[in-house]
Amino acid sequence: MLHLQFGRLGYEFLIKFRLMISQARSSSLTGAAVLIAVTVIAAAVPSYFNLKTHSPAEQQAIQLASQLMTLSEFEQIHPGLTIAQVSLLLGRSGEEISRAEVPEAPATALYLWQNPDGSRITVTFENGAVVAKSQSGLR
């Protein structure tokens, strides 16, 4: 992912670059000289424009941050939804953190969905359906 931050210097650069290209067309510069000039300028563009590229780990963190679970999504969780429906609603699978299966009682499982910032949603399922929910730190 590439972020471009244009400032006054960025626009001045574009104007100078355009002027240089038009002068190269009207002067006796050869194609090779123009190619060299463009190559040098292209190498300088990232630092001149303050371009930033992100590592794969940074891209993943940016993507996760844009997919933070919200209080609005939490409020849409209601009794009777299945684990699959809650996962679809929240955009990711939860982590089963506990399960209790006792004879002649409903199977109970507690699932956790956590954002990178530590905010979280916990949902209790009985026989695969929501019976309780809680959240911490959602916005």
Side-chain angles (χ1 to χ4, degrees):
M1 183 174 285
L2 198 58
H3 292 280
L4 182 56
Q5 298 174 350
F6 281 104
R8 184 179 59 80
L9 292 176
Y11 287 112
E12 287 177 11
F13 173 82
L14 288 175
I15 291 167
K16 289 178 185 176
F17 180 72
R18 191 171 178 188
L19 180 63
M20 185 189 82
I21 294 298
S22 65
Q23 287 174 348
R25 288 183 189 152
S26 64
S27 72
S28 62
L29 285 177
T30 65
V34 171
L35 181 61
I36 291 169
V38 169
T39 303
V40 168
I41 290 170
V45 166
S47 61
Y48 198 89
F49 283 120
N50 192 19
L51 292 176
K52 299 176 191 171
T53 56
H54 298 285
S55 70
E58 289 171 324
Q59 288 176 359
Q60 185 177 14
I62 290 168
Q63 185 178 14
L64 281 176
S66 69
Q67 297 175 350
L68 289 178
M69 297 172 298
T70 65
L71 188 57
S72 173
E73 291 168 327
F74 170 76
E75 291 168 348
Q76 295 176 46
I77 300 170
H78 58 81
L81 288 180
T82 66
I83 296 167
Q85 290 170 321
V86 173
S87 294
L88 184 63
L89 175 70
L90 299 177
R92 65 184 101 164
S93 296
E95 176 187 355
E96 184 179 293
I97 55 175
S98 71
R99 175 173 285 280
E101 293 187 28
V102 179
E104 299 183 28
T108 303
L110 183 64
Y111 276 73
L112 170 70
W113 285 264
Q114 187 164 341
N115 284 326
D117 67 358
S119 58
R120 63 183 66 205
I121 295 174
T122 55
V123 180
T124 303
F125 295 88
E126 284 186 359
N127 292 330
V130 173
V131 292
K133 66 180 183 175
S134 66
Q135 66 88 16
S136 174
L138 294 179
R139 293 181 244 148

